[in-house]
Amino acid sequence: RMDKDSGKAFDTRLFKRLMAYTKPYKLTFYGVALAAILLSGFAILTPLIVKKIIDDAIKQSNEEMLLYLTIAMLVVLIGQVVSQLAFNYYANWLGESVIKDIRIDLFKKMLSFKMKYFDNSSLGVLVTRAVADMQRIGEIFSQGFFVIVADLLKMVVAAVVMLFINWKLSLIVFSLLPIIIYATRLFQKAMKIAFTEVRAEVSNLNSFVQERITGMKIVQLFTREKIESDKFRLINEKHKKAWLKTVWYNSIFFPIAEIVSSITVGLIVWYGGLQNVANITTDIAGTIFAFIMLIDLLFRPLRQIADKFNTLQMGMVAANRVFKILDTDSHIQNVGSYEQEVIKGDIKFNNVRFGYLEDEEVLHGISFEVKAGETVAIVGSTGAGKSTIINLLNRFYEINSGEITIDGVDIKEYKLSSLRSHIAVVLQDVFLFADTIANNISLKSTSISVDDIENAAKAIGVDEFISSLPGGYKYNVKERGTMLSSGQRQLIAFLRAYVSNPSILILDEATSSVDTYSEQLIQLATDKITQGRTSIVIAHRLATIKKADKIIVMDAGKIVESGTHKQLLKKGGYYRNLYEAQFLAEEVT
């Protein structure tokens, strides 16, 4: 894949698409182009003024001309510095502005993706696309395209001026130019391969370090420090060797380029000197000085252009990867227009079939109904399809066939934002952002004040626990809420759901790793939060199941039984067996 990505040095279609992002910054774009032209002009003027000083002012001992020419050179140098400053700053500014816009488009696109896309995508890869690859795209403008254009312009102008000044000396320079061009081409090819290897080794090193830091507890529990250290040493060695290869190529190429440049200067001085000795040309001194400066303008950009092409190419590869994500069509169709400020909360699943993979069905024709204000508990073994129901009701995935309605309206007819605003979910695996408790509850919604949060916390009995934390509601829970226990995280999730005042509530109330005190609070919160609203509970506690208006028993993607706790126990079927195996011990204790 990497070879395929790096195979095309320049993609015109891709470049045009990238250039479309510069349209809002047309003035800056043209300003950078003008700075590049001015840089070339000022660079060429310097050797011409030097030639004039030597051939005319010094030779004729003309002090006035020498003063004017020196002032002219000073003006040219100031112009060159100003142009270089403007070029460097605004080329980088343009690059950063473009990647800012692309990054916004990319993030918006990611926000609209189906859950299926994230199921099949690497988190590390998506982060790399949004961060590291973006910087590579920025370098197309700051260190790639404009720099190459400016350097090529300098070279062309330098070659034309050389021919104009002295065509014989120009032929000596041009005869050695193919050696530099050939060496540059070989260097570019070698560096392309070397950089491909470097990127692969950097990726391996990043992946290894990220995994070991994330799984440090396992590494230390199973005393794998030495094994992991040895593995890291090996990967690190490969990483070093990959980078040293690029250093080696640079070490060979640049001295060769310098030698060829020095030989060219030597030949110019030698040939010019011969002409002067033979009295063929008497004003050769100024020409030789001008040529020495022009050779630098011709050869130096050529030496650097290979590196700039690599930068341009890596930027194009990064742009291609980012645009692939932008072109991905993986979003839930949001064509519905139905919006209601208030809904009753009648839910109906009618012969719903669904599979996360095309050829593997998870739900096999599910049908059930939850009336407004009812609490329905869903029980069943792991993999029965309980959590899938949560995902489908929120339209995280599209069903294969059948129909899901809320208040008699197909959920596809609802505007997606309206549908989800009426549903609150408390998941078993609670996700908290590295932020304050208050912000994790309100999710920075302007319609939810700190007073609203505190009143809601008191209502469901979690205010005492939050107030006991340092800073209370301003307590920062750090990344993924690591500063809180699993029970405390779940209580925060309950409060987040309650404060949004949903019409439909979905709870996955697992308590496998929750202490007794937290479990009591969770039970209290469950009772309060489900009161008077439509609730679907993936039930793990006997107390919740007993209180439910209806219990749906699932197995292998099908509803095998439904009814109240007493009705199902009397049946003596699947639920009875589940109750005796799983819940009876809880009742005894």
Side-chain angles (χ1 to χ4, degrees), residues 178-366:
I179 298 171
I180 291 277
I181 292 170
Y182 181 67
T184 301
R185 185 66 188 141
L186 286 179
F187 175 68
Q188 190 191 348
K189 282 182 178 178
M191 286 299 279
K192 187 198 292 186
I193 295 164
F195 272 127
T196 301
E197 196 177 325
V198 163
R199 283 200 298 272
E201 293 306 329
V202 167
S203 179
N204 289 341
L205 188 64
N206 285 344
S207 298
F208 184 88
V209 172
Q210 187 181 350
E211 274 195 354
R212 270 59 187 183
I213 289 173
T214 307
M216 189 57 73
K217 190 180 282 186
I218 299 298
V219 171
Q220 292 183 359
L221 275 172
F222 289 89
T223 61
R224 286 183 59 87
E225 289 93 339
K226 189 179 185 307
I227 296 166
E228 298 302 339
S229 182
D230 291 341
K231 278 186 185 177
F232 180 74
R233 193 174 286 113
L234 190 67
I235 291 171
N236 211 18
E237 184 66 27
K238 286 181 179 177
H239 178 262
K240 183 192 82 173
K241 283 178 179 175
W243 273 110
L244 282 177
K245 200 175 280 186
T246 67
V247 173
W248 172 245
Y249 291 142
N250 277 301
S251 302
I252 295 170
F253 173 73
F254 285 104
I256 289 171
E258 285 294 335
I259 289 165
V260 174
S261 181
S262 299
I263 290 169
T264 309
V265 170
L267 286 171
I268 291 296
V269 173
W270 172 75
Y271 185 75
L274 279 181
Q275 284 190 315
N276 193 53
V277 168
N279 289 322
I280 297 166
T281 309
T282 54
D283 59 345
I284 197 70
T287 303
I288 289 171
F289 268 98
F291 260 76
I292 290 169
M293 296 177 82
L294 288 166
I295 285 166
D296 191 49
L297 286 177
L298 188 66
F299 281 18
R300 188 173 35 158
L302 197 57
R303 290 199 301 268
Q304 294 173 351
I305 220 157
D307 193 39
K308 302 305 175 191
F309 265 119
N310 278 326
T311 300
L312 181 64
Q313 187 196 31
M314 284 193 284
M316 295 296 277
V317 168
N320 190 39
R321 289 170 175 169
V322 169
F323 285 139
K324 270 183 187 173
I325 297 176
L326 285 170
D327 293 339
T328 302
D329 183 23
S330 177
H331 62 278
I332 297 291
Q333 291 298 316
N334 189 15
V335 293
S337 57
Y338 188 77
E339 283 186 274
Q340 285 286 92
E341 276 194 34
V342 181
I343 63 168
K344 289 191 294 178
D346 285 317
I347 301 168
K348 192 173 183 181
F349 274 59
N350 186 21
N351 198 27
V352 172
R353 291 184 176 274
F354 169 76
Y356 292 101
L357 301 173
E358 285 181 26
D359 53 345
E360 289 182 28
E361 204 172 67
V362 175
L363 297 183
H364 312 289
I366 294 285

Side-chain angles (χ1 to χ4, degrees), residues 2-168:
M2 200 165 284
D3 290 336
K4 185 181 174 185
D5 276 343
S6 58
K8 199 167 186 179
F10 196 81
D11 187 330
T12 311
R13 180 194 57 81
L14 190 65
F15 189 70
K16 280 181 182 175
R17 186 172 177 184
L18 202 55
M19 282 295 124
Y21 278 92
T22 65
K23 282 181 182 177
Y25 314 105
K26 271 184 181 177
L27 195 63
T28 307
F29 183 89
Y30 293 131
V32 173
L34 178 63
I37 294 165
L38 288 173
L39 268 176
S40 303
F42 286 129
I44 296 303
L45 281 173
T46 306
L48 290 176
I49 292 170
V50 168
K51 181 182 183 305
K52 191 83 174 164
I53 288 171
I54 294 168
D55 287 347
D56 296 337
I58 293 174
K59 197 171 182 182
Q60 295 169 21
S61 302
N62 190 330
E63 287 184 19
E64 192 178 350
M65 186 186 286
L66 181 62
L67 179 63
Y68 288 143
L69 288 172
T70 305
I71 292 168
M73 182 174 275
L74 185 64
V75 170
V76 167
L77 287 171
I78 291 168
Q80 202 169 350
V81 168
V82 171
S83 299
Q84 189 71 59
L85 181 69
F87 179 82
N88 288 344
Y89 179 78
Y90 286 107
N92 277 279
W93 186 91
L94 184 66
E96 290 300 322
S97 299
V98 165
I99 63 174
K100 179 204 72 176
D101 294 344
I102 298 174
R103 194 181 274 131
I104 288 168
D105 285 353
L106 183 68
F107 192 67
K108 276 183 183 175
K109 186 76 177 182
M110 286 180 182
L111 288 174
S112 71
F113 280 153
K114 295 178 185 177
M115 286 300 118
K116 191 173 182 179
Y117 179 85
F118 296 106
D119 294 342
N120 300 326
S121 299
S122 161
L123 177 65
V125 166
L126 291 176
V127 171
T128 301
R129 297 293 170 268
V131 182
D133 281 345
M134 287 296 174
Q135 289 309 125
R136 289 274 180 263
I137 294 169
E139 285 168 7
I140 289 176
F141 299 94
S142 61
Q143 297 174 36
F145 174 69
F146 284 118
V147 178
I148 290 169
V149 169
D151 284 348
L152 287 173
L153 198 58
K154 275 183 195 174
M155 289 168 64
V156 170
V157 175
V160 170
V161 170
M162 279 180 181
L163 283 167
F164 179 75
I165 294 172
N166 190 315
W167 67 270
K168 288 179 181 177

